[in-house]
């Protein structure tokens, strides 16, 4: 029996770039592009022009999905459903992202967070394989958390904003005010990439491996992991993003053990090397996840037969949260 044609569109919409692709039912990428995130008019205009070109070459899309930076309004009953809302990204506050795409791309469309899409990519091809419930955390331009529960992205009335929780001050860190324009010293304001640069004067990746910055950041990230552990009890916490240099993983694990303080016998048996893990699905996990969500929209199933392929325009960045 020959399968019906299926053409899938996906976007990983980040604060610095939009990665766009069209794939067939087997996940084979037929065309892709990278578009700089400048103004909404420029970026969304170039995005829809790309998909119009792809449809001329390959036919109409069967389904379409977007994983975007936020905050997003995901409640279908909200008047601003599909909008990017109170983002600090200049010029992008209150942009009707979903509405624009639906007006120009005539296919069933799904919108989710960039971190949820990256989590889907990790479940298909990376550190989330075989797990029903896990968290995907990115520590980069911002701090975002994606949740997969019972094998599917967590939805509900809206998406979590765990990057903006309040955390206890790390030992030795009492004077830095934080950079979050809304909360100052929330988790994102203290530990994201721009916060590291504001605090230390250079990008995180340029700091020596023995710099005290790493222990301070690890303490804050471990505080997030402890909160996720107590609230979600995931099978694993996958942590990526530009701040998560290799030397950070053992630091975060040690700090998390200290914060859990031996509470709950079941947690004492967890191997931290397995519990706090690096992402392994590659830099295109978010775009792959968006295409997989489009496949699910069209077929009501996950594409478990896909094989991982790294799109040409992906780079080392994991997610722009």
């Amino acid at each position: 029996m020959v399968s019906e044609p299926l053409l899938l569109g996906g976007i990983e919409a980040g604060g610095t770039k939009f990665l766009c692709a069209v794939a067939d039912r087997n996940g084979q990428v037929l065309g892709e592009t990278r578009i700089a995130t400048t103004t909404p008019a420029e970026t969304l205009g170039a995005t829809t022009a790309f998909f119009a070109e792809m449809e001329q070459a390959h036919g109409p899309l069967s389904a379409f999905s977007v994983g975007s930076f936020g905050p997003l309004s995901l409640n279908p009953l909200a008047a601003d459903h599909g909008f990017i809302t109170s983002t600090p990204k200049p010029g992008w506050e209150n942009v009707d992202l979903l509405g624009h795409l639906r007006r120009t791309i005539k296919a069933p469309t799904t919108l989710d967070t960039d971190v949820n899409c990256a989590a889907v990519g990790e479940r298909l091809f990376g550190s989330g394989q075989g797990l029903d419930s896990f968290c995907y955390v990115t520590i980069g331009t911002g701090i975002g958390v994606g949740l997969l529960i019972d094998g599917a992205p967590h939805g509900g009335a809206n998406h979590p904003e765990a990057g903006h929780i309040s955390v206890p001050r790390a030992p030795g860190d009492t004077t830095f005010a934080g950079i979050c324009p809304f909360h100052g010293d929330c988790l994102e304001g203290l530990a994201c990439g721009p916060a590291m640069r504001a605090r230390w004067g250079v990008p995180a990746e340029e700091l020596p491996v023995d710099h005290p910055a790493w222990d301070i950041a690890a303490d804050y990230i471990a505080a997030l992991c402890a909160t996720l552990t107590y609230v979600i009890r995931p099978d694993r916490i996958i942590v990526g993003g530009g701040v998560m240099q290799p030397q950070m993983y053992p630091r975060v694990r040690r700090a998390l053990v200290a914060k859990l303080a031996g509470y709950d016998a079941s947690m004492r048996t967890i191997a931290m090397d397995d519990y706090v893990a690096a992402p392994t699905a590659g830099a295109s996990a978010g775009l792959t996840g968006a295409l997989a969500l489009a496949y699910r929209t069209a077929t009501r199933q996950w594409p478990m037969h896909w094989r991982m392929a790294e799109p040409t325009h992906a780079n080392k960045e994991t997610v722009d949260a």
Side-chain angles (χ1 to χ4, degrees):
M1 180 178 177
V2 178
S3 299
E4 292 184 7
L6 198 66
L7 198 65
L8 309 169
I11 300 175
E12 180 184 357
T16 59
K17 64 189 181 299
F18 275 39
L19 297 178
C20 308
V22 169
D24 65 16
R25 68 163 50 248
N26 296 313
Q28 180 178 348
V29 174
L30 304 176
E32 57 178 309
T33 192
R34 171 179 173 149
I35 299 166
T37 307
T38 55
T39 67
E42 288 180 348
T43 303
L44 295 177
T47 296
T48 53
F50 165 76
F51 285 104
E53 179 183 340
M54 288 293 99
E55 289 196 300
Q56 285 184 344
H58 302 287
L61 293 177
S62 307
F64 183 78
S65 185
V66 186
S68 177
F69 72 96
L72 301 171
S73 176
L74 297 182
N75 185 346
L77 300 179
D80 62 352
H81 174 233
F83 279 55
I84 297 173
T85 59
S86 55
T87 179
K89 177 71 177 175
W92 284 81
E93 185 173 4
N94 296 321
V95 168
D96 185 7
L97 176 64
L98 185 60
H100 175 90
L101 294 172
R102 281 179 168 169
R103 286 190 293 272
T104 53
I105 300 173
K106 304 301 183 182
T109 304
T110 303
L111 175 66
D112 209 330
T113 62
D114 49 3
V115 282
N116 265 357
C117 284
V120 170
E122 288 293 324
R123 185 172 190 269
L124 290 173
F125 299 121
S127 298
Q129 291 180 84
L131 302 179
D132 285 331
S133 299
F134 66 89
C135 302
Y136 179 93
V137 177
T138 181
I139 315 291
T141 305
I143 295 180
V145 178
L147 303 177
L148 256 72
I149 298 175
D150 293 331
H154 170 70
N158 225 307
H159 61 86
E161 277 291 352
H164 291 274
I165 63 172
S166 296
V167 291
R169 284 282 181 157
D173 184 35
T174 58
T175 60
F176 182 61
I179 67 163
C180 176
F182 301 100
H183 313 115
D185 62 350
C186 64
L187 173 65
E188 183 170 293
L190 292 170
C192 69
M196 295 276 283
R197 180 165 192 156
R199 186 197 300 265
W200 304 110
V202 296
E205 60 269 23
E206 294 182 14
L207 294 167
V209 295
D210 59 351
H211 195 282
W214 299 114
D215 283 332
I216 291 173
D219 190 271
Y220 290 130
I221 296 165
L224 170 62
C225 291
T227 298
L228 294 173
T229 297
Y230 289 135
V231 175
I232 307 296
R233 292 306 291 266
D235 296 320
R236 182 171 294 150
I237 302 175
I238 302 168
V239 192
V243 172
M244 288 302 295
Q245 301 293 304
Q247 68 270 18
M248 280 291 283
Y249 289 94
R251 286 177 163 90
V252 170
R253 291 166 184 145
R254 287 195 298 269
L256 176 56
V257 169
K259 290 182 183 298
L260 295 176
Y263 178 74
D264 191 337
S266 66
M267 287 304 302
R268 292 178 221 149
T269 63
I270 289 178
M272 280 293 155
D273 286 357
D274 184 62
Y275 185 61
V276 178
T280 55
S284 62
L287 181 56
T288 299
L291 291 168
L293 282 173
Y295 182 96
R296 189 181 188 223
T297 297
T299 68
R300 301 186 182 276
Q301 300 176 24
W302 290 113
M304 303 309 294
H305 63 290
W306 283 8
R307 295 185 177 183
M308 181 170 63
E310 190 78 4
T312 306
H313 291 280
N315 61 22
K316 68 178 182 178
E317 299 173 53
T318 306
V319 171
D320 294 307

